[in-house]
Amino acid sequence: MKLIVALACLVASAVAAPSSPSLAARRALPALQHEEIHDDFGQYALRYVTAEGTVVSERGRLVPTPDGRAYVMVTDGETSYIGDDGKTYVTKYSAGLDGTHVEGAHLPVPVLVQ
């Protein structure tokens, strides 16, 4: 009886085993591409691509304030990834003098109440 149960478990696990590497295993892999540039003033640009299809790009640059007395780091970028449903999700974002803005077709749109 124990042999039959063990054999049934072995067959069930073989049938249920994924044919491709699991998402968790791919997420554990290092980035396929990684580019990063910095200057002496803190400005930067970066981009990387991971094994599971995530792409991140971001840039930070200094811009003068309206009165010209100081500089502010303005950041803008984009992240895209493939969801568990197989769809590609893209999120664009920016942060700077006019606040933070995030947009993506998968994100809810805020409703302004008057």
Side-chain angles (χ1 to χ4, degrees):
M1 183 65 176
K2 289 181 183 178
L3 180 60
I4 294 173
V5 172
L7 186 57
C9 290
L10 182 61
V11 170
S13 65
V15 171
S19 59
S20 63
S22 71
L23 185 59
R26 285 184 286 157
R27 286 183 176 160
L29 295 173
L32 298 176
Q33 291 180 346
H34 184 126
E35 302 168 18
E36 201 164 328
I37 301 169
H38 297 271
D39 72 7
D40 294 338
F41 303 104
Q43 300 178 109
Y44 66 93
L46 64 87
R47 181 175 191 276
Y48 66 85
V49 179
T50 65
E52 80 272 4
T54 299
V55 179
V56 176
S57 60
E58 185 174 294
R59 179 176 70 145
R61 57 191 164 73
L62 291 172
V63 297
T65 57
D67 63 9
R69 293 182 172 202
Y71 287 85
V72 173
M73 180 68 70
V74 173
T75 304
D76 57 289
E78 181 174 305
T79 302
S80 67
Y81 67 94
I82 300 169
D84 293 337
D85 57 2
K87 295 180 183 178
T88 300
Y89 295 90
V90 179
T91 305
K92 296 180 182 184
Y93 57 90
S94 65
L97 294 169
D98 59 346
T100 301
H101 304 280
V102 180
E103 62 182 55
H106 61 289
L107 299 174
V109 178
V111 177
L112 299 175
V113 179
Q114 295 183 13

